[in-house]
Amino acid sequence: MHSPVPVKHVAVLGGGILGVSTAVHLLRDGASVVLVTEAGVASGASGRSLAWLNSAGTRPEAYHRLRMAGIDRYRTLLEQHAGIDWLGFGGGIHWDGPGSGEALRERHDAETGHAYASRLLREGEVGEALAGIDPAVDPGSVAGPAVSNPGEGWVSLPHLIRHLLVEFRALGGELHEHAGKAAVAIENGRTVGLQLPGGGTVRADAVLVAAGADTPAVVGELGINLPDASDLAMLVITEPAGTPLSSVLNTPRVSVRPHPGNRLAMDHTWYLDRIIRDPSGGYSIDPATVQELADEASRVLAGHPALHPAEYLIGRKPVPGDGLPVLGELESAPGCFVAFTHSGATLGLIAGELLAQEILTGRRHPMLAEFRAERFS
């Protein structure tokens, strides 16, 4: 291992939640920070994430602990800023189609096995139970049992990023939006900053690459292979909906959560093969499919309110090849750190906190031990 180098000047590549969160934590600890983003802040995966705050289902224990620490930081944030409408903890409800009873029981057992708040709603009690958990849900739409997770929540990441940027600017952070595709600059085997497309260099003692689904390509230029399973995603946000939904719902045909302004945000996967890549590199989809997703959300809500899409956002979502986060310094590129994960929302605050500590102290945090890039070597 190389010897830690005292870090004072840090360049962050990426204007999503992981980049912005780490930048703010660095500034709080006295570093100077330059944040560079290819387009605008929150214009990538953070802008189109359902941002369900959870540690549901079956997952490795180390990953579960990290996610629970992430949820804890959001609860602290909500306690400090009571009244914000872009973060909530109304719980989560999950159900599948007919014949899913055994799979749901296994899910529930896995959750309770690591003391995650989980309640199995058996088929005969779903209606009565949902009336007390979230009356905005239509129990008639639930074919079979369900699982309720009362400790789960949601966040609108663009709102959170704007909130963090107020502190970023107040602490003297420097922001370069619409900078184009930057590259990590290496001299004599060590990271020295970011090379900008126009030819300039942002000099830094360390660099964090938090470029979402583009992260493997950025570090690939350094000869580092990060297995990549990134895929397309689409988030739909409705017009004001007039429904008191407080939970995050994960159902066979739609996942849906509250959104600021009495709106709803929703996504799923059944329509991904309908997304078209256009010649300019962007994505499009038939608006009828967007409305179809909104109609699926209406079917699971009490009263089946008419839902009208206000906007839809399509792009790639970051997913490491083995599904687990990649966090920390690259051993083969000293001074270059990465943040690449599918759980950017749940981990957004805690990952920024722990990465900032590592960048500034040179000491590896034990909670990130399972998530180093070297596991792929």
Side-chain angles (χ1 to χ4, degrees):
M1 288 291 293
H2 57 276
S3 298
V5 175
V7 175
K8 294 182 180 179
H9 307 288
V10 184
V12 175
L13 179 59
I17 184 54
L18 292 168
V20 173
S21 171
T22 307
V24 170
H25 280 97
L26 286 164
L27 289 163
R28 289 174 181 172
D29 289 334
S32 67
V33 179
V34 178
L35 177 64
V36 178
T37 182
E38 179 182 355
V41 293
S43 61
S46 290
R48 50 181 179 266
S49 170
L50 188 71
W52 168 34
L53 306 178
N54 78 95
S55 189
T58 303
R59 63 188 72 256
E61 188 62 29
Y63 192 20
H64 171 67
R65 290 196 305 271
L66 187 62
R67 291 175 73 107
M68 293 305 292
I71 292 171
D72 170 79
R73 297 305 189 271
Y74 279 105
R75 289 190 175 279
T76 300
L77 179 66
L78 188 57
E79 180 68 22
Q80 294 170 337
H81 299 278
I84 55 177
D85 66 352
W86 42 263
L87 171 61
F89 281 95
I93 306 170
H94 172 92
W95 69 87
D96 294 316
S100 63
E102 182 60 31
L104 279 179
R105 280 189 290 273
E106 291 177 358
R107 175 194 179 101
H108 168 69
D109 289 345
E111 291 172 349
T112 56
H114 50 219
Y116 190 67
S118 179
R119 177 184 174 190
L120 181 63
L121 311 179
R122 292 174 175 80
E123 192 165 353
E125 65 179 13
V126 167
E128 181 179 355
L130 286 181
I133 295 170
D134 193 334
V137 181
D138 177 12
S141 67
V142 185
V147 172
S148 169
N149 301 111
E152 294 178 352
W154 62 272
V155 62
S156 170
L157 290 178
H159 287 78
L160 171 59
I161 288 169
R162 288 194 289 271
H163 171 83
L164 291 173
L165 284 175
V166 172
E167 185 177 0
F168 175 88
R169 294 185 176 97
L171 293 174
E174 183 179 340
L175 175 62
H176 293 265
E177 293 185 272
H178 306 286
K181 290 186 177 294
V184 179
I186 302 285
E187 293 179 4
N188 299 319
R190 182 167 183 86
T191 304
V192 296
L194 288 174
Q195 186 72 40
L196 302 179
T201 301
V202 177
R203 305 290 295 190
D205 300 305
V207 167
L208 171 68
V209 179
D214 289 336
T215 297
V218 173
V219 301
E221 295 178 359
L222 307 178
I224 297 167
N225 176 40
L226 287 186
D228 184 15
S230 298
D231 198 0
L232 288 175
M234 178 178 75
L235 184 74
V236 175
I237 298 173
T238 70
E239 299 287 357
T243 173
L245 181 70
S246 60
S247 304
V248 180
L249 308 182
N250 285 285
T251 84
R253 293 278 293 178
V254 66
S255 294
V256 58
R257 64 156 168 86
H259 191 74
N262 198 28
R263 302 168 188 265
L264 297 174
M266 62 194 70
D267 72 1
H268 212 270
T269 59
W270 52 261
Y271 47 74
L272 294 183
D273 61 354
R274 304 184 191 180
I275 295 174
I276 299 170
R277 182 76 180 265
D278 60 45
S280 67
Y283 299 95
S284 62
I285 195 169
D286 188 337
T289 299
V290 180
Q291 183 61 57
E292 187 178 351
L293 181 65
D295 292 342
E296 294 287 356
S298 175
R299 291 186 185 99
V300 303
L301 297 175
H304 307 293
L307 300 177
H308 305 288
E311 61 177 325
Y312 59 92
L313 306 158
I314 303 174
R316 295 173 70 223
K317 61 181 179 184
V319 185
D322 63 358
L324 298 176
V326 184
L327 301 167
E329 188 174 19
L330 301 172
E331 284 191 345
S332 56
C336 182
F337 295 74
V338 294
F340 178 46
T341 177
H342 178 47
S343 50
T346 300
L347 300 185
L349 297 179
I350 189 63
E353 177 183 325
L354 300 184
L355 286 167
Q357 289 179 21
E358 290 201 353
I359 291 169
L360 291 177
T361 67
R363 295 191 298 270
R364 290 186 161 205
H365 197 284
M367 287 193 72
L368 301 186
E370 305 274 341
F371 310 113
R372 308 289 175 186
E374 289 70 44
R375 70 179 185 268
F376 300 118
S377 299

